[in-house]
Amino acid sequence: MEYDMPKLITPDEVPNWVPGRLTVRNPEEGWSGLSVRGYRYSGSDVEVPAVRDFVVVAYREGHTDMRRRVDGRWSSADVGPGDVSLLTRAADSRWVWHDDLDVLLVFLTEQEVVETCQQMYDRDLYDVEVRDVLKATDPAIHQTALLAAHEAASGAAGSQLMIDSLSCQLAVQLLRGYADIQFRDAGTGDRLTFQQLRLVREYIREHLHEDLSLQDLAGVLALSKFHFARRFRNATGTVPAQRRMRGA
């Protein structure tokens, strides 16, 4: 019997389970890796399905005793302005609080975190998970959330560049302080490493207007066409695009 994987909810679907008054929302254009929503909440007891993205909750106004359940475990803390809560992606949660709050929800995509992690460590990544922290006093992450909200509200010139920078910055902050990272076994040997993939992609960008062959790409790594194609497929799940090749 086949079972459907549970659907992960998007940032736009969160209010279906956590109703509040929207105070800020990013535009769609230029916000592929990070999104932000601001809400004013009254005291609530809410069950939240697993969210597609990693979530940072930055508290702006109001103090309350917050209780949260993740993976069946309860934690509690008094939260207020300057504090942040962290929730890993794809985790069901329940939140209980009694007093009014003004918060920012910052959503960071899995792709953004994974790509940043690979660039930081230059290793093949198996999995990355952000630790579920109910209360962290982390001024750097809180300030990044505020800057993202400011960009969402202002939409000033250069906003897309700023958001790209903030997405990377937030991913680095989470990876440095709050992430559990599993790397692939370096001894597997039957797939291209992240560094090898990067070399191939750089070569393609530098020769974008040339009629590249499979042998050209294999030659970048001093591999045969057969070994390159197999390791490329094992690393990416795809084959090198035939339309970019000659004699492949």
Side-chain angles (χ1 to χ4, degrees), residues 22-69:
L22 185 68
T23 59
V24 64
R25 183 189 188 285
N26 63 272
E28 295 296 332
E29 187 175 355
W31 289 68
S32 57
L34 176 150
S35 57
V36 62
R37 307 284 189 275
Y39 293 100
R40 290 189 182 275
Y41 289 131
S42 300
S44 299
D45 181 342
V46 293
E47 296 268 3
V48 185
V51 182
R52 180 195 65 191
D53 302 332
F54 298 97
V55 185
V56 174
V57 182
Y59 300 92
R60 294 203 291 183
E61 295 181 12
H63 287 85
T64 193
D65 178 63
M66 179 70 71
R67 299 181 65 237
R68 185 178 72 177
R69 185 191 68 212

Side-chain angles (χ1 to χ4, degrees), residues 236-248:
T236 66
T238 62
V239 296
Q242 293 298 311
R243 66 177 180 276
R244 296 292 308 153
M245 306 294 176
R246 68 173 190 277

